[in-house]
Amino acid sequence: MRRPVALRLCAAFATTALVATTGVLVAMPSASAAATGTATGYASQNGGTTGGAGGQTVRATTGTAIHAALCGRASASTPITIEVEGTINHANTEKVSGSSCNTAAGVIELKQISNVTIVGVGSGAVFDQLGIHIRQSSNIIIQNVTVKNVKKSGSPISNGGDAIGMETDVRNVWVDHASLEASGGESAGFDGLFDMKDNTQYVTLSYSTLRNSGRGGLIGSSETELSNSFITFHHNLYENIDSRAPLLRGGTAHIYNNYYVKLNESGINSRAGAHAKVDNNYFKDSKDVLGTFYTSAAGYWQVAGSIFDNVTWSSPGTDTNPAGPDVKSTTTVSIPYSFSLDPATCVPDVVTRTAGADKGLKVSNGTCTPQTPSPNPTTPGSTPTANPTTPTSTPTQPSGTNLSIGAGADGSSKADGTSYGNVKDGNLSTYWSPAGSAGSVSVKWSSPTAVASINIREAAGSAGSIGSWRVLNGDTGAVLTSGSGAGAIAVPRTSLSKITFEITSSTGTPKVAEFETYAG
């Protein structure tokens, strides 16, 4: 391995000077916009994703310099754009300490921070055997970088084997024009290329390549870890991937204009109540590109405009439910943002010409022709919250009659001194609480009732206590939606006799004063 070159260059942060002992950390002369183009998809929701827009721009050529830039800010939320050039590896990535950072050696650690852009410039940025870990952070942009050969076993290891991994209360991340690569599957020491776990929401992966891996990526680490949602995948190339392209466990994903080549075992795997909107993709020389696989916990999909070119399908079984060969939608998914669809016929050409690092950051606007992206944002938007209540498209108060009044109620894990019926009595001074940090409460009727939205009202003094949750069809156990925070929640319009609100995590003691249900 080539030894890193020690250079002595200073970076000025206002009146503060930092010295990076390995590599280059140079402050640029003026503030710069965060990244080329504007965040798309779900990353544009919940206040938007602007990264380091409006903050200082610095240049870094080592991982240590990246960490030094994060640690040299006035606070953990001070906007910054870090332009990266060269190869970032274990030899030049050390832990740096400071009040505005929480870093670690052997991984690019974006932990407990916000308002950061990392963008590859010049001759390119390559993270070699070194993953990017985003944890308890928000408003992050990663653009025009290559991350390759990150391992979870063997040597060297980094980031649990994920090229880019997000976990624990992550909000608003835009990864754009990235090249994510492995050199084999789990037996060779590799894991996922793009993983999201433990309450990660409002993420977009766009114009990126994912290649030569056993696992493309997942949303949710298990069938019961369903707090992840609102993810967009568009104009990406998945090539020579065994499975997880992606794997969805609960939540909502929008998957459009992607080019899939050689998915060897399975592709879009919608499980455990997940809802996937699958628009105008091109699948080629692949197997089982859409469905529910390796589990009996069903997921759902709305599919339109896609092309299936030399795709083979397995026979249905107890843990296999392929969408094809007669591909039909099993749900409907509402998308809250605007987007332009390229016809599926041109997806192979336009994705091949635009996706990945060092492609000039070209994009498509629905005309099948690569375009120069729109101008950068120049100032940060409203900073995304760590725990938003509901998608921005959800109304603050559903309209119509509260169907819970006069209905029945039951649940699980009831704390002392509370009653399930308190959630449907129209009285905000009474409430139900679980015995611990999790539990469920249900509203039920004597005959099937159509429900399209609910409203969870917290008791006085407990606002913000509810963390992640699921809404279940109490008749079938199917997950209708999932998310975090109390408030109005839209669900797919469903006729049912029982609907359940299940709290899966909370802060303090959650108190549900009213569980309102509405037909509209």
Side-chain angles (χ1 to χ4, degrees):
M1 181 177 293
R2 187 178 61 184
R3 293 182 179 178
V5 179
L7 301 176
R8 293 182 299 160
L9 292 172
C10 297
F13 294 88
T15 59
T16 303
L18 291 177
V19 177
T21 58
T22 304
V24 180
L25 176 57
V26 180
M28 307 306 287
S30 61
S32 171
T36 301
T38 302
T40 54
Y42 275 114
S44 69
Q45 304 296 286
N46 187 44
T49 303
T50 55
Q56 192 159 19
T57 297
V58 301
R59 182 73 62 91
T61 62
T62 69
T64 303
I66 294 173
H67 284 161
L70 296 173
C71 296
R73 298 182 295 163
S75 73
S77 61
T78 301
I80 189 170
T81 293
I82 306 171
E83 296 182 341
V84 181
E85 184 174 17
T87 299
I88 311 302
N89 56 33
H90 283 260
N92 64 31
T93 301
E94 298 178 359
K95 174 182 174 67
V96 177
S97 298
S99 60
S100 61
C101 64
N102 188 346
T103 70
V107 61
I108 297 303
E109 190 84 285
L110 308 180
K111 184 177 180 181
Q112 298 168 338
I113 61 174
S114 61
N115 309 327
V116 173
T117 292
I118 294 178
V119 56
V121 297
S123 60
V126 177
F127 295 78
D128 184 18
Q129 302 182 78
L130 193 91
I132 299 175
H133 187 199
I134 304 171
R135 186 169 185 172
Q136 294 173 287
S137 295
S138 64
N139 197 23
I140 307 294
I141 295 175
I142 299 172
Q143 189 176 57
N144 200 38
V145 302
T146 295
V147 187
K148 65 179 185 179
N149 293 332
V150 180
K151 286 190 171 185
K152 70 174 183 178
S153 63
S155 180
I157 59 173
S158 176
N159 195 28
D162 297 336
I164 296 178
M166 289 159 270
E167 62 179 304
T168 313
D169 302 329
V170 173
R171 292 292 184 276
N172 289 81
V173 176
W174 180 34
V175 178
D176 179 64
H177 285 90
S179 295
L180 309 180
E181 305 170 2
S183 298
E186 186 175 20
S187 62
F190 303 98
D191 197 17
L193 295 176
F194 194 72
D195 279 10
M196 290 157 278
K197 310 170 186 175
D198 191 16
N199 199 22
T200 294
Q201 298 182 7
Y202 300 102
V203 175
T204 295
L205 177 66
S206 59
Y207 297 98
S208 295
T209 59
L210 298 89
R211 284 192 168 107
N212 304 326
S213 176
R215 297 169 172 175
L218 58 76
I219 303 172
S221 60
S222 71
E223 307 292 78
T224 58
E225 203 273 281
L226 305 176
S227 58
N228 311 278
S229 191
F230 313 125
I231 318 295
T232 299
F233 302 83
H234 75 89
H235 292 92
N236 302 299
L237 168 64
Y238 286 79
E239 184 175 17
N240 191 27
I241 302 291
D242 287 344
S243 63
R244 302 185 180 183
L247 164 60
L248 317 172
R249 291 181 168 118
T252 299
H254 188 196
I255 303 169
Y256 71 92
N257 281 156
N258 299 287
Y259 183 29
Y260 296 92
V261 184
K262 199 179 179 187
L263 301 181
N264 302 313
E265 297 174 8
S266 62
I268 301 169
N269 187 352
S270 181
R271 295 161 58 165
H275 287 70
K277 184 170 173 60
V278 182
D279 295 324
N280 290 28
N281 299 282
Y282 196 106
F283 302 93
K284 181 178 180 181
D285 300 337
S286 298
K287 177 185 177 183
D288 286 342
V289 298
L290 174 64
T292 296
F293 306 103
Y294 323 121
T295 182
S296 59
Y300 308 94
W301 46 86
Q302 180 181 356
V303 60
S306 294
I307 292 176
F308 303 90
D309 179 2
N310 191 32
V311 170
T312 59
W313 302 92
S314 296
S315 299
T318 56
D319 62 353
T320 302
N321 182 26
D326 183 17
V327 180
K328 295 180 179 178
S329 298
T330 60
T331 190
T332 57
V333 181
S334 177
I335 301 299
Y337 51 81
S338 61
F339 58 98
S340 298
L341 281 173
D342 287 303
T345 52
C346 75
V347 163
D349 176 68
V350 74
V351 169
T352 300
R353 295 166 65 187
T354 58
D358 306 318
K359 287 288 188 71
L361 299 174
K362 296 289 187 178
V363 299
S364 177
N365 62 1
T367 65
C368 295
T369 303
Q371 311 278 324
T372 300
S374 58
N376 308 354
T378 56
T379 56
S382 56
T383 301
T385 58
N387 288 291
T389 53
T390 56
T392 56
S393 61
T394 302
T396 56
Q397 171 61 53
S399 59
T401 301
N402 176 11
L403 304 173
S404 299
I405 302 296
D410 62 16
S412 69
S413 184
K414 184 171 65 175
D416 292 340
T418 67
S419 167
Y420 299 126
N422 288 342
V423 304
K424 49 89 180 178
D425 60 2
N427 185 351
L428 290 174
S429 66
T430 63
Y431 63 88
W432 163 85
S433 284
S437 61
S440 64
V441 62
S442 302
V443 174
K444 57 183 182 179
W445 300 270
S446 58
S447 60
T449 300
V451 176
S453 61
I454 69 173
N455 194 27
I456 301 299
R457 295 177 177 267
E458 292 178 286
S462 66
S465 295
I466 294 175
S468 57
W469 46 257
R470 302 190 302 169
V471 180
L472 309 175
N473 180 332
D475 299 342
T476 66
V479 178
L480 299 177
T481 189
S482 61
S484 62
I489 302 166
V491 299
R493 186 178 178 85
T494 307
S495 183
L496 40 70
S497 297
K498 180 178 177 180
I499 187 168
T500 299
F501 181 71
E502 180 184 39
I503 299 171
T504 56
S505 70
S506 61
T507 301
T509 302
K511 297 178 180 179
V512 178
E514 289 298 301
F515 179 177
E516 301 172 352
T517 53
Y518 296 88

